[in-house]
Amino acid sequence: MPLIVFLFVVFFAAGEVRAGGMIDFGAADQFTLSQPIVQTQVGSYETFLNEYLLDTGASGILVGAAASQELTSAGLQTVATYYDYGVAGTQATQVSAPYDFYFAGADGVPLTLPNTRIQTSTGDFAFYAGIAGMPLMMNRTVGLDLAAQTNMEALRIGVSFSSAAPPPTGVQYSVPLSMYEFPMTGQEHPADPLPVYAPLPFAPVKAHFGSTTKTGSWLLDTGAQQCILSSATAFELGLDANGNGDLDDEAIDFQTVAGVGGSVVIPVLQIDALSLQTTAGVDLTLRDIPVGIIDIDPSISGVLGMNILNTGWEIHALNLFLGIDPGPPGLFDRVDLDFRGAAATMQGEMRLTVNAQRVEASAWEVAAGSTLSLGSQPAATVNSLANEGLLDVGSSKLSVATGLTAVALVDWIVAGRNGGTWDGAAGVTSAEAAAADGTRAVGWLDNGDGSFTFGFAAQGDTNLDGQVGLDDLMNILAAGKYGSGTGATWAEGDFNYDGVVDLTDLIDVLATGVYGQGSYLATTNSVAGSGLAPTVSRNDIDLNGLAAAFPMFVVVPEPAAWLVAIQAATTVLLVRRRRV
């Protein structure tokens, strides 16, 4: 059966991937009206151009009553009956003869599904003339531009189709999708032709209620305006608080859900949180999630609705339209669904581009025994960070606005550094630093306003600007901590986290081989990935010999630029002092 899951909510008076960490984005929207749509046209009937719901929860293409009548009057022929199944039960549909199915996204560029058998019906689908399901999306990338809802001339989600990979912009997280093909069992006669159908995508989701967490694969359904739980999952989570076997007692509301097969009234309960599990091991978490309880199919434990993906955008766009303070933007700027190889591999990808302002306002948590990896994502600022596990900054940087102290941060870095191998089991580390043979580290800055910044750095980069030069030397000299034995920070020249600035810190800088060479970030990945190291490593330098010969500063043949510059800068400072 080509499962068609279209959920339109009508309110009425009655009513193991290793977990790397968690980003808490706060409360989710209760439901959403916005859903992605496509323009469709069947065959050569130029008078028929209608908006269909673009629905990842639909296996086929289903035409509503009014559009079916128009198509039939224009010559569309049906050749068989097929009994489809949806949220409200079974519904008889008519299978068409093969036609070319034309459709387009927001850009109006026409695409074609040739020789396609669609389904006509006597049902209605709220605002939509029909439901266009996964056959339109297979073997291509589908882009949902959620931020386009702020366009006052459109006020809708931008839909695009492409043969290319999703655009790599901003802070992105990838959620793996597993495709499942439901059996086609709705033929009236065994020899009847089948309508066009395609597999449906399922995403790994964690549902949280109280102390209970239930992990499962949920149907990704752009046709659902709200999340759904099966009754079995609801009972396993403990939503039946009084234990009487009936969830109606705990319902916060009752809603009418309409779709294939008609409509049905269902109870709505609320779970504490829902987490999308990403390939980076980071759980993207939203809280206070309303969930309708309905059993659609035994294989569906939950439905991930558009209220999660579209959280924040509707109220933001409405406030803009009304000319009042719009408040925070939506959570995800874009949702890109990559089904390019899904037909062959039965795997897809949902790439979520997180809005920069929402990242900044979020709270991050790394649980004990877990690793959160930033990889090469752009530098980000977050509101708070609770780190009881391991935070791998990769080649990135992170700023934490509140709740962090210099002592706690250095303790994290020292634990992650693990004596210089950067393979600690907890704290803060960098996979890029671990691959660089001791010539890279994790630098940190106290920003002076209660916030801290830390990330992948070369020793000597006192301000974390991605290069080591004269300004860094001046920062060290101006701090006056060298050889004083007094407490010092990274910005003052303590590059090995022992609390003082001495010869060993300068030797660490020498070993990087990046002084005066411009940005070292441009070649970081190629150096770490190839196993190559700079010309000089710390182990190549005789610390005792240098310290004995030059108790203050040392000069060596190669690379001498750093230490020559130190001497030059020192001379400049001495001259200035004498003049004063």
Side-chain angles (χ1 to χ4, degrees), residues 463-490:
N463 53 14
L464 303 187
D465 64 354
Q467 53 188 339
V468 180
L470 184 59
D471 58 335
D472 296 297
L473 304 187
M474 299 301 289
N475 289 339
I476 296 172
L477 293 171
K481 297 296 182 70
Y482 181 87
S484 69
T486 59
T489 66
W490 174 279

PDB file of all heavy atoms in Angstrom, residues 463-490:
ATOM      1  N   ASN A 463      45.706  36.081  19.972  1.00  0.00           N
ATOM      2  CA  ASN A 463      44.355  36.640  19.824  1.00  0.00           C
ATOM      3  C   ASN A 463      43.433  35.766  18.975  1.00  0.00           C
ATOM      4  O   ASN A 463      42.340  36.191  18.598  1.00  0.00           O
ATOM      5  CB  ASN A 463      44.428  38.047  19.234  1.00  0.00           C
ATOM      6  CG  ASN A 463      45.235  38.095  17.939  1.00  0.00           C
ATOM      7  OD1 ASN A 463      45.523  37.042  17.355  1.00  0.00           O
ATOM      8  ND2 ASN A 463      45.606  39.283  17.506  1.00  0.00           N
ATOM      9  N   LEU A 464      43.880  34.559  18.641  1.00  0.00           N
ATOM     10  CA  LEU A 464      43.075  33.579  17.901  1.00  0.00           C
ATOM     11  C   LEU A 464      42.556  34.122  16.575  1.00  0.00           C
ATOM     12  O   LEU A 464      41.417  33.863  16.173  1.00  0.00           O
ATOM     13  CB  LEU A 464      41.894  33.084  18.754  1.00  0.00           C
ATOM     14  CG  LEU A 464      42.220  32.457  20.115  1.00  0.00           C
ATOM     15  CD1 LEU A 464      40.968  31.869  20.747  1.00  0.00           C
ATOM     16  CD2 LEU A 464      43.296  31.395  19.998  1.00  0.00           C
ATOM     17  N   ASP A 465      43.416  34.879  15.875  1.00  0.00           N
ATOM     18  CA  ASP A 465      42.995  35.414  14.579  1.00  0.00           C
ATOM     19  C   ASP A 465      43.460  34.557  13.415  1.00  0.00           C
ATOM     20  O   ASP A 465      43.309  34.936  12.255  1.00  0.00           O
ATOM     21  CB  ASP A 465      43.483  36.847  14.404  1.00  0.00           C
ATOM     22  CG  ASP A 465      45.000  36.956  14.360  1.00  0.00           C
ATOM     23  OD1 ASP A 465      45.696  35.938  14.587  1.00  0.00           O
ATOM     24  OD2 ASP A 465      45.509  38.068  14.122  1.00  0.00           O
ATOM     25  N   GLY A 466      44.056  33.401  13.711  1.00  0.00           N
ATOM     26  CA  GLY A 466      44.440  32.473  12.651  1.00  0.00           C
ATOM     27  C   GLY A 466      45.824  32.688  12.084  1.00  0.00           C
ATOM     28  O   GLY A 466      46.185  32.043  11.100  1.00  0.00           O
ATOM     29  N   GLN A 467      46.618  33.565  12.682  1.00  0.00           N
ATOM     30  CA  GLN A 467      47.993  33.764  12.235  1.00  0.00           C
ATOM     31  C   GLN A 467      48.863  34.197  13.405  1.00  0.00           C
ATOM     32  O   GLN A 467      48.356  34.676  14.424  1.00  0.00           O
ATOM     33  CB  GLN A 467      48.048  34.795  11.115  1.00  0.00           C
ATOM     34  CG  GLN A 467      47.381  36.112  11.401  1.00  0.00           C
ATOM     35  CD  GLN A 467      47.299  36.998  10.178  1.00  0.00           C
ATOM     36  OE1 GLN A 467      48.051  36.826   9.221  1.00  0.00           O
ATOM     37  NE2 GLN A 467      46.383  37.957  10.193  1.00  0.00           N
ATOM     38  N   VAL A 468      50.150  33.975  13.248  1.00  0.00           N
ATOM     39  CA  VAL A 468      51.119  34.335  14.292  1.00  0.00           C
ATOM     40  C   VAL A 468      52.074  35.359  13.705  1.00  0.00           C
ATOM     41  O   VAL A 468      52.756  35.093  12.712  1.00  0.00           O
ATOM     42  CB  VAL A 468      51.900  33.098  14.788  1.00  0.00           C
ATOM     43  CG1 VAL A 468      52.889  33.494  15.876  1.00  0.00           C
ATOM     44  CG2 VAL A 468      50.936  32.028  15.297  1.00  0.00           C
ATOM     45  N   GLY A 469      52.115  36.541  14.311  1.00  0.00           N
ATOM     46  CA  GLY A 469      52.944  37.622  13.785  1.00  0.00           C
ATOM     47  C   GLY A 469      53.422  38.546  14.870  1.00  0.00           C
ATOM     48  O   GLY A 469      53.367  38.245  16.071  1.00  0.00           O
ATOM     49  N   LEU A 470      53.887  39.730  14.452  1.00  0.00           N
ATOM     50  CA  LEU A 470      54.481  40.685  15.368  1.00  0.00           C
ATOM     51  C   LEU A 470      53.507  41.149  16.437  1.00  0.00           C
ATOM     52  O   LEU A 470      53.888  41.399  17.581  1.00  0.00           O
ATOM     53  CB  LEU A 470      55.012  41.894  14.581  1.00  0.00           C
ATOM     54  CG  LEU A 470      55.766  42.950  15.391  1.00  0.00           C
ATOM     55  CD1 LEU A 470      56.977  42.347  16.073  1.00  0.00           C
ATOM     56  CD2 LEU A 470      56.171  44.114  14.486  1.00  0.00           C
ATOM     57  N   ASP A 471      52.216  41.255  16.072  1.00  0.00           N
ATOM     58  CA  ASP A 471      51.251  41.698  17.071  1.00  0.00           C
ATOM     59  C   ASP A 471      51.153  40.711  18.224  1.00  0.00           C
ATOM     60  O   ASP A 471      50.959  41.104  19.387  1.00  0.00           O
ATOM     61  CB  ASP A 471      49.879  41.909  16.437  1.00  0.00           C
ATOM     62  CG  ASP A 471      49.340  40.655  15.773  1.00  0.00           C
ATOM     63  OD1 ASP A 471      50.158  39.795  15.380  1.00  0.00           O
ATOM     64  OD2 ASP A 471      48.104  40.541  15.631  1.00  0.00           O
ATOM     65  N   ASP A 472      51.331  39.421  17.941  1.00  0.00           N
ATOM     66  CA  ASP A 472      51.317  38.428  19.015  1.00  0.00           C
ATOM     67  C   ASP A 472      52.524  38.590  19.923  1.00  0.00           C
ATOM     68  O   ASP A 472      52.420  38.461  21.154  1.00  0.00           O
ATOM     69  CB  ASP A 472      51.285  37.018  18.416  1.00  0.00           C
ATOM     70  CG  ASP A 472      50.011  36.756  17.633  1.00  0.00           C
ATOM     71  OD1 ASP A 472      48.930  36.777  18.238  1.00  0.00           O
ATOM     72  OD2 ASP A 472      50.101  36.561  16.411  1.00  0.00           O
ATOM     73  N   LEU A 473      53.696  38.900  19.330  1.00  0.00           N
ATOM     74  CA  LEU A 473      54.897  39.127  20.146  1.00  0.00           C
ATOM     75  C   LEU A 473      54.726  40.329  21.051  1.00  0.00           C
ATOM     76  O   LEU A 473      55.091  40.305  22.233  1.00  0.00           O
ATOM     77  CB  LEU A 473      56.110  39.338  19.247  1.00  0.00           C
ATOM     78  CG  LEU A 473      56.443  38.242  18.234  1.00  0.00           C
ATOM     79  CD1 LEU A 473      57.769  38.549  17.561  1.00  0.00           C
ATOM     80  CD2 LEU A 473      56.505  36.897  18.910  1.00  0.00           C
ATOM     81  N   MET A 474      54.142  41.362  20.492  1.00  0.00           N
ATOM     82  CA  MET A 474      53.927  42.563  21.285  1.00  0.00           C
ATOM     83  C   MET A 474      52.962  42.290  22.433  1.00  0.00           C
ATOM     84  O   MET A 474      53.110  42.835  23.537  1.00  0.00           O
ATOM     85  CB  MET A 474      53.392  43.682  20.401  1.00  0.00           C
ATOM     86  CG  MET A 474      54.329  44.089  19.271  1.00  0.00           C
ATOM     87  SD  MET A 474      55.931  44.658  19.848  1.00  0.00           S
ATOM     88  CE  MET A 474      55.481  46.223  20.581  1.00  0.00           C
ATOM     89  N   ASN A 475      51.945  41.439  22.172  1.00  0.00           N
ATOM     90  CA  ASN A 475      51.015  41.083  23.246  1.00  0.00           C
ATOM     91  C   ASN A 475      51.739  40.395  24.389  1.00  0.00           C
ATOM     92  O   ASN A 475      51.483  40.672  25.571  1.00  0.00           O
ATOM     93  CB  ASN A 475      49.916  40.162  22.708  1.00  0.00           C
ATOM     94  CG  ASN A 475      48.940  40.876  21.808  1.00  0.00           C
ATOM     95  OD1 ASN A 475      48.814  42.096  21.848  1.00  0.00           O
ATOM     96  ND2 ASN A 475      48.242  40.120  20.978  1.00  0.00           N
ATOM     97  N   ILE A 476      52.656  39.473  24.048  1.00  0.00           N
ATOM     98  CA  ILE A 476      53.397  38.743  25.084  1.00  0.00           C
ATOM     99  C   ILE A 476      54.300  39.685  25.864  1.00  0.00           C
ATOM    100  O   ILE A 476      54.339  39.671  27.104  1.00  0.00           O
ATOM    101  CB  ILE A 476      54.217  37.609  24.451  1.00  0.00           C
ATOM    102  CG1 ILE A 476      53.277  36.573  23.820  1.00  0.00           C
ATOM    103  CG2 ILE A 476      55.107  36.943  25.489  1.00  0.00           C
ATOM    104  CD1 ILE A 476      53.982  35.514  23.006  1.00  0.00           C
ATOM    105  N   LEU A 477      55.033  40.538  25.149  1.00  0.00           N
ATOM    106  CA  LEU A 477      55.959  41.451  25.809  1.00  0.00           C
ATOM    107  C   LEU A 477      55.227  42.473  26.657  1.00  0.00           C
ATOM    108  O   LEU A 477      55.659  42.824  27.766  1.00  0.00           O
ATOM    109  CB  LEU A 477      56.828  42.156  24.764  1.00  0.00           C
ATOM    110  CG  LEU A 477      57.792  41.232  24.016  1.00  0.00           C
ATOM    111  CD1 LEU A 477      58.437  41.968  22.864  1.00  0.00           C
ATOM    112  CD2 LEU A 477      58.852  40.694  24.966  1.00  0.00           C
ATOM    113  N   ALA A 478      54.103  42.979  26.141  1.00  0.00           N
ATOM    114  CA  ALA A 478      53.343  43.975  26.891  1.00  0.00           C
ATOM    115  C   ALA A 478      52.775  43.392  28.175  1.00  0.00           C
ATOM    116  O   ALA A 478      52.628  44.096  29.177  1.00  0.00           O
ATOM    117  CB  ALA A 478      52.214  44.528  26.026  1.00  0.00           C
ATOM    118  N   ALA A 479      52.463  42.088  28.186  1.00  0.00           N
ATOM    119  CA  ALA A 479      51.938  41.452  29.389  1.00  0.00           C
ATOM    120  C   ALA A 479      52.992  41.370  30.482  1.00  0.00           C
ATOM    121  O   ALA A 479      52.660  41.347  31.669  1.00  0.00           O
ATOM    122  CB  ALA A 479      51.407  40.056  29.056  1.00  0.00           C
ATOM    123  N   GLY A 480      54.272  41.287  30.091  1.00  0.00           N
ATOM    124  CA  GLY A 480      55.367  41.263  31.061  1.00  0.00           C
ATOM    125  C   GLY A 480      55.430  40.028  31.926  1.00  0.00           C
ATOM    126  O   GLY A 480      56.003  40.058  33.024  1.00  0.00           O
ATOM    127  N   LYS A 481      54.867  38.914  31.461  1.00  0.00           N
ATOM    128  CA  LYS A 481      54.846  37.696  32.274  1.00  0.00           C
ATOM    129  C   LYS A 481      56.020  36.765  32.004  1.00  0.00           C
ATOM    130  O   LYS A 481      56.254  35.834  32.778  1.00  0.00           O
ATOM    131  CB  LYS A 481      53.527  36.939  32.019  1.00  0.00           C
ATOM    132  CG  LYS A 481      52.277  37.705  32.433  1.00  0.00           C
ATOM    133  CD  LYS A 481      52.247  37.938  33.923  1.00  0.00           C
ATOM    134  CE  LYS A 481      50.986  38.654  34.363  1.00  0.00           C
ATOM    135  NZ  LYS A 481      49.783  37.819  34.263  1.00  0.00           N
ATOM    136  N   TYR A 482      56.774  37.012  30.925  1.00  0.00           N
ATOM    137  CA  TYR A 482      57.853  36.075  30.590  1.00  0.00           C
ATOM    138  C   TYR A 482      58.894  36.049  31.707  1.00  0.00           C
ATOM    139  O   TYR A 482      59.414  37.086  32.131  1.00  0.00           O
ATOM    140  CB  TYR A 482      58.536  36.457  29.280  1.00  0.00           C
ATOM    141  CG  TYR A 482      59.633  35.475  28.909  1.00  0.00           C
ATOM    142  CD1 TYR A 482      59.335  34.335  28.188  1.00  0.00           C
ATOM    143  CD2 TYR A 482      60.951  35.670  29.329  1.00  0.00           C
ATOM    144  CE1 TYR A 482      60.320  33.412  27.864  1.00  0.00           C
ATOM    145  CE2 TYR A 482      61.943  34.761  29.019  1.00  0.00           C
ATOM    146  CZ  TYR A 482      61.619  33.624  28.285  1.00  0.00           C
ATOM    147  OH  TYR A 482      62.604  32.716  27.988  1.00  0.00           O
ATOM    148  N   GLY A 483      59.190  34.860  32.194  1.00  0.00           N
ATOM    149  CA  GLY A 483      60.218  34.676  33.214  1.00  0.00           C
ATOM    150  C   GLY A 483      59.847  35.190  34.578  1.00  0.00           C
ATOM    151  O   GLY A 483      60.660  35.116  35.512  1.00  0.00           O
ATOM    152  N   SER A 484      58.624  35.691  34.775  1.00  0.00           N
ATOM    153  CA  SER A 484      58.247  36.259  36.069  1.00  0.00           C
ATOM    154  C   SER A 484      57.766  35.206  37.049  1.00  0.00           C
ATOM    155  O   SER A 484      57.748  35.448  38.264  1.00  0.00           O
ATOM    156  CB  SER A 484      57.149  37.306  35.868  1.00  0.00           C
ATOM    157  OG  SER A 484      55.933  36.677  35.462  1.00  0.00           O
ATOM    158  N   GLY A 485      57.343  34.071  36.539  1.00  0.00           N
ATOM    159  CA  GLY A 485      56.823  33.026  37.401  1.00  0.00           C
ATOM    160  C   GLY A 485      55.423  33.296  37.909  1.00  0.00           C
ATOM    161  O   GLY A 485      54.883  32.512  38.696  1.00  0.00           O
ATOM    162  N   THR A 486      54.833  34.399  37.471  1.00  0.00           N
ATOM    163  CA  THR A 486      53.473  34.733  37.902  1.00  0.00           C
ATOM    164  C   THR A 486      52.448  34.154  36.947  1.00  0.00           C
ATOM    165  O   THR A 486      52.757  33.829  35.800  1.00  0.00           O
ATOM    166  CB  THR A 486      53.293  36.257  37.984  1.00  0.00           C
ATOM    167  OG1 THR A 486      53.551  36.828  36.695  1.00  0.00           O
ATOM    168  CG2 THR A 486      54.253  36.851  39.014  1.00  0.00           C
ATOM    169  N   GLY A 487      51.218  34.030  37.435  1.00  0.00           N
ATOM    170  CA  GLY A 487      50.164  33.416  36.646  1.00  0.00           C
ATOM    171  C   GLY A 487      49.938  34.117  35.320  1.00  0.00           C
ATOM    172  O   GLY A 487      49.955  35.346  35.242  1.00  0.00           O
ATOM    173  N   ALA A 488      49.731  33.341  34.267  1.00  0.00           N
ATOM    174  CA  ALA A 488      49.563  33.906  32.932  1.00  0.00           C
ATOM    175  C   ALA A 488      48.485  33.145  32.182  1.00  0.00           C
ATOM    176  O   ALA A 488      48.150  32.007  32.506  1.00  0.00           O
ATOM    177  CB  ALA A 488      50.878  33.856  32.157  1.00  0.00           C
ATOM    178  N   THR A 489      47.936  33.790  31.149  1.00  0.00           N
ATOM    179  CA  THR A 489      46.914  33.203  30.300  1.00  0.00           C
ATOM    180  C   THR A 489      47.493  32.903  28.917  1.00  0.00           C
ATOM    181  O   THR A 489      48.636  33.270  28.611  1.00  0.00           O
ATOM    182  CB  THR A 489      45.724  34.167  30.146  1.00  0.00           C
ATOM    183  OG1 THR A 489      46.168  35.335  29.431  1.00  0.00           O
ATOM    184  CG2 THR A 489      45.190  34.582  31.513  1.00  0.00           C
ATOM    185  N   TRP A 490      46.683  32.286  28.084  1.00  0.00           N
ATOM    186  CA  TRP A 490      47.090  32.038  26.697  1.00  0.00           C
ATOM    187  C   TRP A 490      47.433  33.349  26.009  1.00  0.00           C
ATOM    188  O   TRP A 490      48.443  33.446  25.303  1.00  0.00           O
ATOM    189  CB  TRP A 490      45.972  31.313  25.961  1.00  0.00           C
ATOM    190  CG  TRP A 490      46.207  31.114  24.488  1.00  0.00           C
ATOM    191  CD1 TRP A 490      46.010  32.031  23.509  1.00  0.00           C
ATOM    192  CD2 TRP A 490      46.701  29.932  23.840  1.00  0.00           C
ATOM    193  NE1 TRP A 490      46.342  31.514  22.278  1.00  0.00           N
ATOM    194  CE2 TRP A 490      46.773  30.224  22.448  1.00  0.00           C
ATOM    195  CE3 TRP A 490      47.076  28.675  24.280  1.00  0.00           C
ATOM    196  CZ2 TRP A 490      47.199  29.288  21.514  1.00  0.00           C
ATOM    197  CZ3 TRP A 490      47.498  27.731  23.351  1.00  0.00           C
ATOM    198  CH2 TRP A 490      47.557  28.044  21.982  1.00  0.00           C
TER     199      TRP A 490
END
